[in-house]
Amino acid sequence: MEDLTKDDTATNAEEFFERYAAALLARDAKTLAGMYAVPALILFPGTSIPVTDARQTEEFFASSWRQYEGVDAIDKKIVIMAEAPGSVWANVTWSYGGQPRERFCYQLIETAAGYRIAVLTLMAPTQQRGVT
């Protein structure tokens, strides 16, 4: 893997989440599933979900489209929290309907095909107290 500068990291993360948002708006579960590493770990309060097959992620998204009914535009605020060789932690707040709706910490790992989500952690939505 090539060594990325901070600017490269921010640009690559922005491009990754642009593709993620486009797939979400297109309701493209297969593309979204391809953006997750296998294995991966999904962390929700009180629940840890080990992902051992891309079909798990695809089925999850396919079953969740109802919660995005009427959403045809989405904004994101990305904060790079930390970097390590081959890994980036990004705090992303997703807004639609004019307000923040979802916030996650994504651990992205570098692969030959670009970033993949290795760990997804649900965060409490906030008004971004001091976070840009």
Side-chain angles (χ1 to χ4, degrees):
M1 309 278 160
E2 65 184 76
D3 188 31
L4 299 176
T5 67
K6 284 189 182 255
D7 287 338
D8 289 339
T9 299
T11 298
N12 290 340
E14 177 69 29
E15 290 171 357
F16 176 85
F17 288 111
E18 278 295 319
R19 289 190 312 274
Y20 192 93
L24 187 66
L25 290 172
R27 311 305 193 257
D28 186 345
K30 187 171 192 74
T31 295
L32 286 164
M35 299 180 84
Y36 283 78
V38 176
L41 181 62
I42 311 300
L43 300 171
F44 289 104
T47 304
S48 297
I49 304 167
V51 178
T52 58
D53 187 305
R55 280 180 285 159
Q56 284 175 267
T57 306
E58 187 174 346
E59 289 168 2
F60 167 79
F61 279 106
S63 71
S64 69
W65 296 138
R66 244 189 359 239
Q67 77 183 42
Y68 298 106
E69 277 184 32
V71 176
D72 59 3
I74 192 166
D75 293 315
K76 66 197 167 330
K77 184 176 221 175
I78 304 168
V79 177
I80 302 299
M81 299 166 48
E83 296 179 63
S87 192
V88 175
W89 287 263
N91 176 345
V92 181
T93 300
W94 299 97
S95 298
Y96 48 92
Q99 59 186 314
R101 302 291 184 152
E102 299 177 346
R103 181 174 162 229
F104 296 96
C105 175
Y106 297 85
Q107 182 179 1
L108 305 176
I109 57 170
E110 293 177 30
T111 71
Y115 283 147
R116 295 288 182 266
I117 300 165
V119 181
L120 173 72
T121 305
L122 178 66
M123 308 288 282
T126 67
Q127 294 302 317
Q128 298 296 322
R129 292 170 276 158
V131 178
T132 59

